[in-house]
Amino acid sequence: MTDRQSPRTAHTRPEGVSDATVKATGKLSEALETVEQARGHLYAFHQLMGRADLLTGDAEELFRKAGHDEIAERLGTEIIGRNIAEGRWTFQLVEEFDDGYWSDFRTFEKQVRDELVQGRRHLFEAEMKESRRTHGRRHHEACPAEEQ
């Protein structure tokens, strides 16, 4: 909700906005939500790869203790600390994604909302909620009581 919107109008279609515009901005927001999910998976990948590298270090130590020095040496030089992409560890991929694609997509989506629907978010979903809820029934309110 922006400063210029009351709680009651935050999810109300501005005057003159077409169904097609609500649908298009809704689809763009859905795409952004999918990018947000992908970002979460990227962070999970980053953490899993870091843990895997540390566990591989533990395995190297155990191979040494078991008398398998050649395997431990190969593990330590070929796998441990290795880039997962050309010149990059996962933290570098995360930073590049965050600073580039993710930030640009978020900015673009907000600019489109500001330009077309007065910055209002989730209009498509709000209208779907309105069409599906049972008016006057508890737990089917349009918004929390303090916002009405």
Side-chain angles (χ1 to χ4, degrees):
M1 182 170 51
T2 65
D3 292 337
R4 61 183 184 264
Q5 297 171 3
S6 73
R8 197 71 175 124
T9 63
H11 295 109
T12 303
R13 181 191 301 211
E15 178 122 4
V17 174
S18 69
D19 289 346
T21 298
V22 169
K23 188 173 183 177
T25 56
K27 190 58 71 174
L28 183 60
S29 291
E30 183 181 6
L32 176 58
E33 290 170 5
T34 302
V35 169
E36 295 287 2
Q37 275 188 304
R39 182 175 180 256
H41 288 293
L42 180 60
Y43 272 82
F45 176 73
H46 161 59
Q47 291 175 341
L48 288 169
M49 290 304 296
R51 184 168 192 277
D53 192 68
L54 295 173
L55 290 170
T56 306
D58 293 345
E60 176 192 25
E61 185 179 316
L62 292 171
F63 280 122
R64 285 196 196 287
K65 286 181 181 177
H68 303 289
D69 290 339
E70 183 196 331
I71 291 173
E73 185 63 29
R74 286 185 11 231
L75 191 56
T77 58
E78 295 176 25
I79 304 298
I80 295 172
R82 181 178 174 161
N83 292 328
I84 59 98
E86 192 62 39
R88 293 179 186 88
W89 268 19
T90 57
F91 76 89
Q92 292 164 304
L93 295 176
V94 166
E95 289 175 355
E96 187 173 327
F97 182 78
D98 279 357
D99 294 345
Y101 188 87
W102 177 72
S103 294
D104 293 345
F105 201 127
R106 287 173 47 93
T107 298
F108 184 87
E109 188 269 346
K110 183 175 182 329
Q111 288 171 342
V112 168
R113 280 188 293 104
D114 288 347
E115 183 178 330
L116 298 178
V117 294
Q118 297 178 7
R120 296 177 187 177
R121 297 181 294 170
H122 296 107
L123 287 178
F124 185 85
E125 292 91 334
E127 290 183 3
M128 183 189 311
K129 176 183 179 176
E130 188 60 26
S131 73
R132 295 177 63 83
R133 72 186 187 90
T134 303
H135 291 258
R137 184 160 177 91
R138 180 154 162 67
H139 303 299
H140 285 254
E141 299 84 4
C143 57
E146 64 273 7
E147 291 183 6
Q148 294 183 18

